[in-house]
Amino acid sequence: MRAGVDTQIANRSRLPFWAGVFVTIACLAILILSGWREWSAREAVLENAEIDMANLARSLTQHAEDSVELADATLLGLANRLESTGIESEALAGLQSFLNDRRTTLGRIRGLFVYDEIGEWVATTESVNLAGLNNSDRAYFQHHRDIDDRQTFLGPPVQSRSGGQWIITISRRFNHRDGRFAGVVAATIDVAYFAEFYRRFDIGPRGTVTLLNKDGILLARSVGDGSFVGRDLSTTRLIREQIPRASSGTYYFRSPLDGLQRLSFYKVSDRFPFVLLATQAEHDVLARWRQGVITRVAFVVGLALFIALVGIHLVRQLVARQRLAAAIAAKEADFRLLAEESSDLVTRIDFDERILYASPASARVLGWAPAQLVGTSALAGVNHEDRPRVEQTIEALKRGEMDEARMLYRIRHREKSEIWVETTMRPTRNSDTGLINGFVALSRDMTQHKDLEAKLAVLAASDGLTGLGNRRCFDECLEQEWARARREGTPISLLMIDIDHFKMFNDQFGHQAGDSCLRTIASVLANQALRSADLAARYGGEEFALLLPNTDSDGCEQVGTRVLEALHEIQIEDGSVAAWRTTASIGGATIWPNAATTTNHASLVEAADRALYAAKNGGRDRLMMAGKVIRWPGAKTA
């Protein structure tokens, strides 16, 4: 027996230690979870950027393919014509006339060129003197001269001999009738065309779009002055490793052009030998995330420190309360002296829940003298609804599951019906065995506090003039009902009601008459809130709202019509304003929110508000909903 008591006492003495362990683990868990969440957020930001770059790269690859294909179609027709007519003088005259006619319809194509078998210029859309011009040193000319194929050739970027600008060449070979090499037809597209086109896309302050051929020669880049055009990037990991493995994909790299760490997506054209690379600076992609993570991490660290400080305080409190409990058990006389002077009711209760001692404050708190309470049950007079909870707490104290319990419950007063009492109860122990032998309870009257709480709750949620829910109550209820409708997939409707010409009414009959009118209208709306979930609220001024959860458009329309009818039946009691006819403009809206809905509850208010203004603009005294006007039969046409 003694060993069991010693074990129980030892377990109590270790409680502060275990509380400290728990607080430490909680703080570490918060920091670890926060770090994991921030890392996940970082990965999500990068993943979204990858998707954006992939979509952009695919789109711009299609644009580049369309550009090359447009040039190739023109070259194919031109090559077929030359193979049919030859390049004799008469044929060339007609060809030059044909090219001159095409000059204004080339679009993104800069120019068309025809070279004979030795590279001499024989025709072009450019306004230049052809005499003495030879392109036999160009890579594309040598390719067609040396290789007998009829395919399109996308050459490396070169500087135009006619204009001096950087151009991309697309070329085809054409033959004599006997199959011998006869020359080359070529089309050019300015590098600047691609660069300017790529600059139209907002991909961050340091984002780039780069067009390369499959050999790694840079054809065009959205950033820079063109000095990178023609640069050989064949030794980069993209050309050597990435492209051979996959024709498209995400690619992280440090740019050899500007030294920035970049996130990119590349796409190899399926029809032509070039690669489109869309990139963003990784620093720019993560800029917003970094700004947010500093704030969030600072908050989490501050929260962990706060919990740690509270934990330290808690441990100290546990130690202090253990010492206090030992002092109370050892000095009963001191306890009684303190109890006599306390303004709160102090009671000593035995293990069987009988009152052994009651302080003089019992007369003030419960209306009973101490002598009348001693020997009675401590639970006598406790409200039957609260009693099970109080009994459970006392049983837990008896089992040693807690060192202190605080309860708020109702109890019968000798002179009053019932009062609210807050009781703090601690177990006491036998000084020899250490076993729980009773309790010390400290009770105080909380009735005024509870009444004040109830009054404050009512004031916080209701409008002082009309007694309807106020704007705050409406906003909270709307948010809750929207969440419920979204979970359950049910409709939610709203009527926004604005009293017609109310300012004129106020100016003519005075504010007291206006207040009376508002209260009368409020009673009409309250009568239309037939279900417990319906809410009639004063939205502001002479504007009211009627929230109708689980109500479809037809139901909302019916309620709005009833409101119009009820308002037409209002009789103002004040004889001075009896001639005034009270009408209202009503806007109704219904939304079926669900898990896939991207809008929030504010969209319902906006929709109803727009309908309200449509009703007012349509002549007032009417209900506008879902694009149609439901007009009170007696309403005047606007």
Side-chain angles (χ1 to χ4, degrees):
M1 179 68 178
R2 181 64 185 178
V5 172
D6 292 341
T7 301
Q8 187 178 20
I9 295 174
N11 289 337
R12 295 293 183 190
S13 65
R14 287 196 294 268
L15 181 60
F17 168 77
W18 290 115
V21 171
F22 172 79
V23 171
T24 302
I25 293 175
C27 292
L28 290 175
I30 290 173
L31 293 175
I32 292 172
L33 288 174
S34 175
W36 174 80
R37 184 175 66 85
E38 295 302 338
W39 184 259
S40 299
R42 179 183 184 275
E43 294 300 307
V45 170
L46 291 175
E47 183 178 349
N48 290 336
E50 291 174 7
I51 294 172
D52 291 342
M53 291 301 97
N55 293 335
L56 179 63
R58 292 189 177 100
S59 175
L60 294 182
T61 299
Q62 181 65 48
H63 168 265
E65 289 177 343
D66 292 343
S67 299
V68 175
E69 192 166 35
L70 175 64
D72 185 46
T74 302
L75 293 179
L76 180 61
L78 193 56
N80 290 337
R81 173 174 178 157
L82 289 168
E83 289 183 345
S84 298
T85 62
I87 57 174
E88 287 76 23
S89 299
E90 294 182 0
L92 285 179
L95 176 62
Q96 184 61 58
S97 176
F98 170 77
L99 292 180
N100 290 339
D101 293 338
R102 291 294 305 275
R103 185 179 300 166
T104 59
T105 61
L106 292 179
R108 67 189 73 173
I109 300 173
R110 173 57 185 259
L112 297 174
F113 302 85
V114 180
Y115 311 107
D116 63 15
E117 58 190 10
I118 62 173
E120 296 289 341
W121 294 35
V122 296
T124 180
T125 57
E126 296 289 304
S127 300
V128 295
N129 185 0
L130 302 182
L133 295 179
N134 189 289
N135 272 30
S136 61
D137 60 334
R138 295 297 201 193
Y140 61 86
F141 183 88
Q142 296 172 3
H143 170 83
H144 291 302
R145 182 190 62 194
D146 300 337
I147 300 175
D148 185 13
D149 66 36
R150 310 301 296 276
Q151 301 300 316
T152 303
F153 179 74
L154 182 65
V158 295
Q159 284 188 292
S160 172
R161 287 196 168 102
S162 59
Q165 72 279 6
W166 283 98
I167 57 174
I168 299 172
T169 59
I170 303 99
S171 58
R172 275 182 173 272
R173 167 179 172 147
F174 66 93
N175 294 334
H176 291 292
R177 294 179 180 177
D178 58 3
R180 290 180 299 106
F181 173 68
V184 173
V185 290
T188 63
I189 301 177
D190 285 351
V191 167
Y193 164 77
F194 286 107
E196 289 296 328
F197 182 81
Y198 296 156
R199 291 189 188 106
R200 300 176 187 175
F201 297 90
D202 183 10
I203 53 176
R206 290 180 288 186
T208 65
V209 178
T210 305
L211 184 67
L212 309 96
N213 66 18
K214 266 194 170 181
D215 296 328
I217 304 301
L218 194 149
L219 302 177
R221 191 168 187 258
S222 61
V223 175
D225 56 2
S227 58
F228 293 127
V229 175
R231 185 161 178 173
D232 187 355
L233 301 178
S234 60
T235 59
T236 60
R237 187 164 56 89
L238 173 66
I239 303 300
R240 290 188 295 105
E241 299 176 13
Q242 291 292 122
I243 292 178
R245 285 202 300 261
S247 61
S248 64
T250 302
Y251 176 53
Y252 286 79
F253 70 103
R254 185 170 297 279
S255 173
L257 302 180
D258 54 24
L260 295 177
Q261 182 67 27
R262 292 189 171 276
L263 174 157
S264 70
F265 190 91
Y266 70 89
K267 178 71 173 71
V268 179
S269 171
D270 297 328
R271 293 182 287 172
F272 301 102
F274 63 78
V275 182
L276 197 290
L277 181 68
T279 78
Q280 280 186 291
E282 190 173 324
H283 183 275
D284 296 339
V285 173
L286 297 175
R288 183 174 295 179
W289 171 83
R290 279 195 304 274
Q291 293 174 357
V293 77
I294 292 173
T295 303
R296 292 190 295 270
V297 169
F299 175 80
V300 170
V301 171
L303 178 62
L305 289 175
F306 174 78
I307 293 174
L309 292 174
V310 171
I312 293 172
H313 178 71
L314 174 63
V315 171
R316 289 179 176 175
Q317 289 294 315
L318 289 174
V319 173
R321 289 182 182 183
Q322 286 182 342
R323 292 173 179 172
L324 178 60
I328 291 176
K331 299 182 179 181
E332 182 67 21
D334 293 340
F335 159 76
R336 286 178 176 272
L337 179 62
L338 292 172
E340 297 292 333
E341 299 297 328
S342 175
S343 61
D344 294 334
L345 170 60
V346 180
T347 53
R348 185 74 180 269
I349 306 168
D350 67 9
F351 197 81
D352 295 327
E353 301 164 10
R354 293 286 170 180
I355 298 176
L356 301 176
Y357 165 82
S359 69
S362 64
R364 184 183 62 80
V365 176
L366 297 176
W368 299 90
Q372 294 173 307
L373 292 178
V374 172
T376 63
S377 171
L379 299 181
V382 176
N383 182 280
H384 70 279
E385 294 180 356
D386 299 334
R387 184 161 180 158
R389 174 170 50 84
V390 176
E391 289 176 341
Q392 290 175 3
T393 303
I394 294 176
E395 289 300 320
L397 287 169
K398 289 179 179 180
R399 293 191 298 268
E401 296 177 358
M402 57 180 70
D403 289 333
E404 180 181 285
R406 180 169 295 179
M407 301 168 287
L408 184 66
Y409 55 90
R410 291 160 290 180
I411 191 169
R412 187 172 62 252
H413 190 277
R414 184 180 183 181
E415 299 173 356
K416 307 173 186 176
S417 56
E418 273 188 338
I419 62 171
W420 282 94
V421 171
E422 181 184 65
T423 297
T424 302
M425 186 175 289
R426 292 182 59 87
T428 60
R429 298 179 181 276
N430 186 287
S431 59
D432 296 328
T433 64
L435 296 177
I436 296 174
N437 61 4
F439 311 94
V440 175
L442 183 67
S443 304
R444 63 178 56 182
D445 187 350
M446 298 293 289
T447 305
Q448 290 184 348
H449 182 77
K450 291 292 292 185
D451 291 344
L452 182 59
E453 281 185 350
K455 290 178 181 178
L456 288 176
V458 172
L459 290 174
S462 62
D463 176 60
L465 175 65
T466 63
L468 300 180
N470 59 15
R471 175 65 179 273
R472 175 183 177 184
C473 176
F474 171 78
D475 290 341
E476 292 177 352
C477 186
L478 174 59
E479 186 173 358
Q480 294 169 0
E481 293 299 336
W482 180 274
R484 181 182 293 111
R486 187 173 184 176
R487 289 194 306 269
E488 299 174 1
T490 56
I492 180 170
S493 295
L494 175 64
L495 291 171
M496 296 296 290
I497 303 120
D498 187 89
I499 308 307
D500 293 333
H501 307 296
F502 184 73
K503 185 178 184 304
M504 186 186 302
F505 182 94
N506 253 350
D507 293 342
Q508 184 174 350
F509 301 110
H511 291 289
Q512 289 186 348
D515 291 348
S516 176
C517 180
L518 290 177
R519 284 191 290 268
T520 303
I521 293 169
S523 66
V524 169
L525 297 180
N527 291 335
Q528 297 302 322
L530 302 178
R531 302 170 302 174
S532 60
D534 296 343
L535 174 68
R538 186 180 181 189
Y539 196 75
E542 67 271 21
E543 192 170 358
F544 296 84
L546 190 54
L547 181 63
L548 304 170
N550 200 16
T551 302
D552 59 14
S553 180
D554 292 338
C556 181
E557 179 180 322
Q558 293 173 9
V559 175
T561 303
R562 291 203 304 267
V563 170
L564 285 175
E565 294 171 350
L567 291 177
H568 274 259
E569 296 175 0
I570 288 178
Q571 296 296 325
I572 305 298
E573 295 181 1
D574 189 344
S576 64
V577 296
W580 186 273
R581 182 167 175 261
T582 303
T583 64
S585 301
I586 304 178
T590 301
I591 294 181
W592 291 71
N594 53 52
T597 303
T598 57
T599 56
N600 58 23
H601 55 277
S603 61
L604 181 62
V605 177
E606 293 173 1
D609 212 33
R610 287 194 298 269
L612 169 62
Y613 277 98
K616 293 173 70 174
N617 294 334
R620 304 179 188 269
D621 189 18
R622 63 194 63 211
L623 166 65
M624 172 69 79
M625 184 172 181
K628 62 179 180 179
V629 179
I630 299 85
R631 189 156 50 90
W632 171 250
K636 298 179 180 179
T637 304

